[in-house]
Amino acid sequence: MRKLIFIIVLCLTGWVNAQINDSAYKNAPGIDYNFIEPAVYKIKNIIVTEISGKPVQKAMVILYSGLSIGQEIKVPGNDIPKAIENIWKQDYFSDIQVYFLPAANNSITLQFLVQEQPRLNGHRFLNISNSQAKTLKEEIGLKRGMYITPNLVNRSIQKIEKFYQEKGFYNIQVKVKRPEALNKEGKPMVGFENFDFVVVKGPKVKVRDFDFTGNIALSDKDLRSAIKKIKRTKLKWNIFASSKYIESQFEEEKSNIIQKYHAKGYRDARVIADSVSMVGDNGLLVHLHLLEGNLYRFRSINWKGNVKYRTSMLDTLLGIRKGDIFNQSLLDERLFSNPGGFDIQSLYMDAGYLFFNMMPVEIGVVNDSIDLEVRITEGPQAVIGRVSWVGNTKTSDRVILREIRTKPGNTFSRTDIQRTMRDLAAIGLFDPEQLNVNPKPNASDGTVDIEYKLVEKPSDQIELSGGWGGNGYSTTPTLIGTAGIVLNNFSARKLFNTKLWNPVPTGDGQKLSLRAQSNGANYQGYTFSFTEPWLGGNKPNSLSVSIFHTVNSFDYRQSDDPLHKAFFNTGINVSMGKRLKWPDDFFNIQYLISFQRYRMQNMDGAYYGFPTGFQGISYNPSFQVTVSRSSVSDPIFPTSGSNITTSIQATPPLSYLIKKDYANLPLTEKYKWAEFYKFKFDAEWYTPIFKKLVLMAKTRFGFLGYYNPVIGPTFFERFQVGGAGIFGFNIAATEIISQRGYDNYTISQTAMGGSAGAPIFNKFTLELRQAITTGQTATVYALAFAEAGDAWSSIAQYNPFQLKRSAGVGIRLFMPMFGLIGLDYAWGFDYKDVPKSGQPTQVHFFIGQQF
């Protein structure tokens, strides 16, 4: 019985197949069909005809079919259906028919009748702006002459829908009209059509809220915080966060939710289902149903294969104990990638174990407890072999060599490589974003070759510093300017060999600066400075020398007029710097010896705080010690690290050393030698928020004291607070302290009742920076800031909680040839307490000045 049923089924199957195959040959009269023993025919000829009579590329159809004249085929058989399938795959035809024309000697002629697809003549977009239409044309990539297929139409619609969905138009509707194409004379173009995309965007849709179900261990608030790129509009506080629903982004956000569960020990957590529903015309409610699973904990962590370091030491560094909640992210961080470098892999890598390998393996899961075994293969300690670098075309090899901490023969250390990369970026001659390192391990001999890849950036500057402001004998603000050249990669040893100039002597990392500064007719300043960062070439001990001369005029007379009122300041500074190794080698110390000579001509005091009746010359010799620590990631646009600087400056207490009655001395003798001591503290921290969004926090403090109460506070070295931080000149070595939102030096002027500057100031700044571009040719970033600061006439008046506040926005452009260019719009909240400032809003423009 079973055999009979099998034979019947087999016969029925053959009959059905015969009917199907027969349909391919129904228009072949004279052909003898035998499905049991198909006849073999030789192809005598292949004819290709377009059904509508248009010309057709016959050779291409034959090529696509896979058939050729002289080929033997079985009829019926698979050759003809396969040929039809091959032609269909090209998407060039809307109809394909095959006819057999019998010929003599058991041969046949094949006739293909094809209907060609219409072709695209052009396309346009309706109901959208020209700019969006231009962008969409690039997105969908349609070209004239393309064959119009259903796939082409659907793919184009999908690209348009995706484009608008990423902009928040979730209900986008796209229809395609296909009018017949017309030529220039208005006549139909046979076989060509146009696409008219009718786009109905609808209202922009945003995520109104997230609806979570199934969550017990984590609250809705916890889960919403795990969603980074899509923020709900309900109770939204971050105006910069996007609320657009983009499906691809949402898939990433679901992964973030699961990662948050994993960090809490719920390693089985998953999203069971998710969906969206409309809320009104422009809102979406996103539903997520979660399965949390059980809470897991660490039960034991065992180490296997460690010889270099004791198990107890590895346990301490790992910092995970029995009973701690299982956290895969924390485990990976402690083993492989702690941001501070305190992980097991860094421990081995810094000890030279380049061939080190480590694998955590779960060896048991009992109920909600997990046993781990960390299997370590230490390998040999790697020794640094060859150290090389590529990419320096102007900078001398010795400038690079002195910054490299990975020396041949030293034990391999990942920390030394990272620090070398930072030090190379800090000298300002190479593009930090393109710095790279290529370690080349040699397992055969246990060495590693290290190659640093460098990309030089323009470092020399044509200095054109400018701003709007200034003061003097004219109260009308003027354009402030500085012209000069700064060579940051100068080479003194090539100075007398013109063949090595390119176009000036460069390559040794020395700095040469020549500057001329002016504020119209009432101020001129000239400065020369030279810095050698590695004096002697063996140690990072720097030497700097600067010479300057300034002239302040206080009337309209010519300089050779005996009655001309002027103030002359000539000085020289010599400083020595040294890189310290303690507390760490981010510290530097600098010693500065300064000598300045001031000459007052026909001024009779009464200017900028000078005592009435003072004439003649005053000398200002001082010694300054500055200790600084800099760990910023990039000198132009830091994203992490800090800058901390503190300094003490003092003159000799000559009034105590020279036994004179200073209370009764003439003013010329009394103030012949300046006396003061000065303390300054500056600190700034950079914290990355998201990608290239950085928060900068800064504080500044300055105090100027005196030895002898009979002489009182000096009228040199004070702080002028307020404005853009650039006035075009300073009197008597005053320091210019910016405070946006108020006019130039008006804050210190309010405190002192005059423009001489104050002996005390304090300032706090918060600045949120967003990089727009950080390329080699230019760095551009936008910022929003809040500042608070003030100046005081004495320590008795000092109150760090009573400050002048301001806030605003700005933009910075750094170009290597011109330095920093900035524009700020600021609002001074306490402008009424600073009468000279005049108005609540201030626009600050500057070139070459940093805040």
Side-chain angles (χ1 to χ4, degrees), residues 416-429:
D416 285 347
I417 292 178
Q418 293 171 341
R419 183 60 189 275
T420 297
M421 299 282 283
R422 180 204 170 274
D423 290 346
L424 288 172
I427 61 179
L429 304 179

Side-chain angles (χ1 to χ4, degrees), residues 3-280:
K3 291 182 179 180
L4 179 61
I5 293 174
F6 176 76
I7 293 171
I8 294 172
V9 171
L10 185 62
C11 292
L12 289 174
T13 303
W15 178 80
V16 170
N17 287 335
Q19 297 301 312
I20 294 174
N21 289 330
D22 184 54
S23 64
Y25 308 97
K26 63 183 179 181
N27 295 316
I31 300 296
D32 182 22
Y33 299 117
N34 187 335
F35 289 96
I36 303 300
E37 294 183 3
V40 177
Y41 294 89
K42 181 180 289 187
I43 300 175
K44 183 179 180 179
N45 194 13
I46 300 175
I47 302 172
V48 180
T49 307
E50 218 282 337
I51 294 175
S52 62
K54 295 189 304 180
V56 65
Q57 294 181 340
K58 300 178 181 180
M60 295 301 295
V61 174
I62 296 173
L63 178 65
Y64 292 144
S65 71
L67 301 176
S68 61
I69 296 175
Q71 179 181 345
E72 293 184 345
I73 62 173
K74 291 182 179 182
V75 179
N78 293 327
D79 297 299
I80 299 303
K82 183 65 176 177
I84 295 173
E85 181 183 353
N86 290 340
I87 298 173
W88 270 118
K89 286 180 180 180
Q90 309 310 314
D91 283 337
Y92 294 158
F93 307 101
S94 60
D95 189 12
I96 303 172
Q97 301 176 22
V98 183
Y99 292 90
F100 296 107
L101 304 177
N105 299 325
N106 210 32
S107 62
I108 59 172
T109 296
L110 299 181
Q111 183 182 23
F112 285 91
L113 277 87
V114 296
Q115 177 73 52
E116 193 176 38
Q117 297 274 23
R119 296 197 184 196
L120 181 65
N121 178 60
H123 61 285
R124 60 178 180 168
F125 301 89
L126 306 179
N127 299 339
I128 63 174
S129 66
N130 292 334
S131 61
Q132 290 181 353
K134 183 179 179 180
T135 304
L136 280 174
K137 282 187 177 182
E138 297 175 357
E139 286 283 334
I140 62 178
L142 294 177
K143 304 294 183 184
R144 188 180 186 277
M146 283 183 166
Y147 286 96
I148 299 176
T149 64
N151 181 47
L152 180 69
V153 175
N154 293 334
R155 189 171 69 246
S156 300
I157 292 174
Q158 289 172 0
K159 288 182 177 180
I160 296 172
E161 290 176 342
K162 181 181 178 182
F163 174 80
Y164 280 102
Q165 285 173 356
E166 290 183 352
K167 293 182 177 297
F169 296 97
Y170 188 70
N171 295 322
I172 177 73
Q173 295 181 1
V174 182
K175 295 181 180 180
V176 182
K177 295 181 179 180
R178 297 170 57 176
E180 188 178 25
L182 303 176
N183 60 20
K184 293 181 179 180
E185 290 77 24
K187 296 180 180 180
M189 298 174 61
V190 179
F192 282 86
E193 296 179 0
N194 290 325
F195 278 177
D196 287 346
F197 293 102
V198 182
V199 180
V200 181
K201 295 188 292 186
K204 184 174 286 190
V205 176
K206 296 186 177 182
V207 175
R208 187 72 56 83
D209 204 352
F210 296 95
D211 174 42
F212 301 99
T213 56
N215 56 308
I216 299 173
L218 295 182
S219 66
D220 289 0
K221 181 180 179 181
D222 293 331
L223 296 176
R224 283 195 299 269
S225 67
I227 300 175
K228 304 297 183 183
K229 296 181 180 179
I230 305 175
K231 296 298 182 181
R232 62 175 185 168
T233 58
K234 181 181 179 182
L235 302 177
K236 181 179 177 180
W237 62 270
N238 185 358
I239 61 175
F240 298 105
S242 174
S243 297
K244 293 183 295 187
Y245 178 81
I246 302 173
E247 190 170 350
S248 58
Q249 282 188 356
F250 182 63
E251 292 300 318
E252 298 177 12
E253 301 299 346
K254 289 194 293 185
S255 300
N256 292 337
I257 292 173
I258 299 306
Q259 288 178 9
K260 187 148 193 171
Y261 267 108
H262 289 174
K264 298 294 184 181
Y266 293 89
R267 51 179 283 170
D268 296 332
R270 62 182 184 272
V271 178
I272 297 176
D274 63 90
S275 61
V276 296
S277 61
M278 293 297 299
V279 181

